């Protein structure tokens, strides 16, 4: 499916990639064309659930009940626990503009919220127990020069 999409839209995709590379937005705040949005959503759907599964297993947690993607420009991700025990993780597809190791730090951050719904010392200790370089990975989200 992805190959067919690329064959049909190659010139648009290359144009979008070229424009995206020339943009240096503050954080995730930039206007994206439809082709770029489609590509970022496909990348998120291919990468994020696999990493949620991996980090859930590393932390001994069940997979969340739902994973969704938004166009959020200010929030990389969120975790919501419902009174009935269901868990919903949400990620901005715009994250896919950043290096994969930085995206992975966001995924772990949200998965860790399934155990600690706060930003306590215990929360960060849990994260750093499985990702010792979390801080350096996460700092890439603030450095737009690291965007592809």
């Amino acid at each position: 499916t992805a190959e067919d999409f690329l064959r049909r839209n190659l010139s648009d995709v290359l144009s979008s990639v070229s424009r995206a590379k020339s943009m240096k937005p503050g954080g995730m705040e930039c206007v994206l064309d439809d082709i770029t949005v489609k590509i970022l959503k496909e990348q998120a759907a291919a990468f994020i659930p696999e990493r949620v599964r991996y980090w859930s297993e590393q932390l001994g947690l069940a997979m969340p009940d739902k994973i969704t993607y938004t166009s959020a420009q200010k929030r990389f991700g969120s975790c919501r626990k419902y009174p009935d025990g269901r868990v919903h993780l949400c990620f901005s597809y715009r994250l896919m503009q950043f290096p994969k190791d930085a995206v992975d730090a966001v995924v772990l951050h949200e998965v860790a919220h399934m155990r600690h719904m706060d930003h306590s010392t215990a929360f960060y200790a849990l994260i750093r127990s499985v990702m010792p370089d979390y801080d350096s990975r996460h700092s890439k989200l603030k450095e737009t020069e690291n965007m592809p």
Side-chain angles (χ1 to χ4, degrees):
T1 305
E3 287 178 6
D4 290 339
F5 174 82
L6 283 173
R7 281 188 195 99
R8 287 191 317 272
N9 300 288
L10 185 58
S11 64
D12 290 336
V13 169
L14 292 174
S15 175
S16 293
V17 168
S18 178
R19 278 194 313 278
K21 284 184 176 182
S22 68
M23 289 185 219
K24 296 294 180 193
M28 297 188 294
E29 300 170 25
C30 66
V31 176
L32 302 173
D33 61 50
D34 292 343
I35 298 288
T36 303
V37 168
K38 183 172 176 63
I39 291 168
L40 293 174
K41 285 181 178 180
E42 288 174 356
Q43 289 175 342
F47 182 76
I48 291 175
E50 171 191 324
R51 300 312 294 163
V52 168
R53 181 172 288 104
Y54 175 80
W55 291 118
S56 295
E57 289 173 1
Q58 293 300 304
L59 298 180
L61 300 168
M63 279 290 288
D65 298 284
K66 188 175 181 181
I67 300 172
T68 58
Y69 309 97
T70 69
S71 61
Q73 295 182 25
K74 301 284 186 189
R75 179 178 282 195
F76 295 119
S78 64
C79 175
R80 180 157 186 196
K81 285 177 127 176
Y82 295 92
D84 64 4
R86 289 178 300 128
V87 176
H88 175 196
L89 297 185
C90 186
F91 298 93
S92 174
Y93 60 76
R94 293 169 180 267
L95 266 173
M96 301 314 295
Q97 298 174 93
F98 292 91
K100 293 283 195 282
D101 63 333
V103 177
D104 209 27
V106 172
V107 172
L108 173 57
H109 183 107
E110 298 310 328
V111 168
H113 276 311
M114 295 192 307
R115 178 161 304 150
H116 297 283
M117 285 298 292
D118 55 27
H119 290 109
S120 63
T121 303
F123 170 79
Y124 285 107
L126 177 64
I127 288 174
R128 291 182 184 108
S129 74
V130 294
M131 185 185 282
D133 63 341
Y134 171 81
D135 296 309
S136 65
R137 289 180 184 219
H138 196 267
S139 70
K140 293 178 184 180
L141 298 168
K142 295 173 175 53
E143 302 168 9
T144 56
E145 64 270 12
N146 283 318
M147 293 178 67

